Amino acid sequence: MITLTVYKRQNQYQGFASKGHAGFAEEGEDIICAGVSALTVNAVNSIEQFTGDAFAVRQDEGFLELMLEGAPSRETTLLLDSMVLGIQSIQETYGNEYIQIVLKEV
């Protein structure tokens, strides 16, 4: 199962962590993992490319974490809203047994 933890402070994004594998299909064939990976990596790349927001990233096998180093800009908020919306759509389509979304106050 993939667990997406979205970190918020006073209703503002502080970052996210995506951990695990969906287990929907064999490695290399798992469209849920591919979709979540595409959305999370694109969010990181887009924040870097299109905003001036500072952040730290950690990545390992089956793990990606982004933590903002201050209040998010309007652009970063929109990009993270879009990422979460996409992952929620995957969750609604394929079921809760493959993706868990956790909102965590930090």
Side-chain angles (χ1 to χ4, degrees), residues 5-16 47 53 66-81 83-84 102-106:
T5 304
V6 181
Y7 304 115
K8 286 191 162 189
R9 180 179 301 130
Q10 298 175 345
N11 215 26
Q12 286 192 316
Y13 288 112
Q14 295 301 302
F16 69 87
I47 291 167
D53 292 358
L66 173 138
M67 292 300 292
L68 295 169
E69 296 176 358
S73 65
R74 201 173 110 223
E75 293 84 2
T76 292
T77 298
L78 179 61
L79 291 166
L80 292 174
D81 276 338
M83 179 197 76
V84 171
V102 177
L103 298 176
K104 185 173 182 180
E105 188 72 20
V106 292

Side-chain angles (χ1 to χ4, degrees), residues 3-92:
T3 301
L4 176 73
T5 304
V6 181
Y7 304 115
K8 286 191 162 189
R9 180 179 301 130
Q10 298 175 345
N11 215 26
Q12 286 192 316
Y13 288 112
Q14 295 301 302
F16 69 87
S18 178
K19 181 179 181 182
H21 295 283
F24 180 75
E26 291 183 35
E27 187 174 333
E29 302 290 323
D30 195 323
I31 60 173
I32 295 174
C33 279
V36 171
S37 292
L39 289 167
T40 56
V41 169
N42 187 65
V44 171
N45 291 339
S46 295
I47 291 167
E48 181 177 38
Q49 183 72 33
F50 300 125
T51 79
D53 292 358
F55 61 89
V57 173
R58 290 188 313 141
Q59 187 172 8
D60 201 353
E61 173 63 30
F63 179 78
L64 176 62
E65 180 180 62
L66 173 138
M67 292 300 292
L68 295 169
E69 296 176 358
S73 65
R74 201 173 110 223
E75 293 84 2
T76 292
T77 298
L78 179 61
L79 291 166
L80 292 174
D81 276 338
S82 178
M83 179 197 76
V84 171
L85 177 66
I87 294 173
Q88 286 172 332
S89 292
I90 294 170
Q91 181 186 42
E92 289 169 9

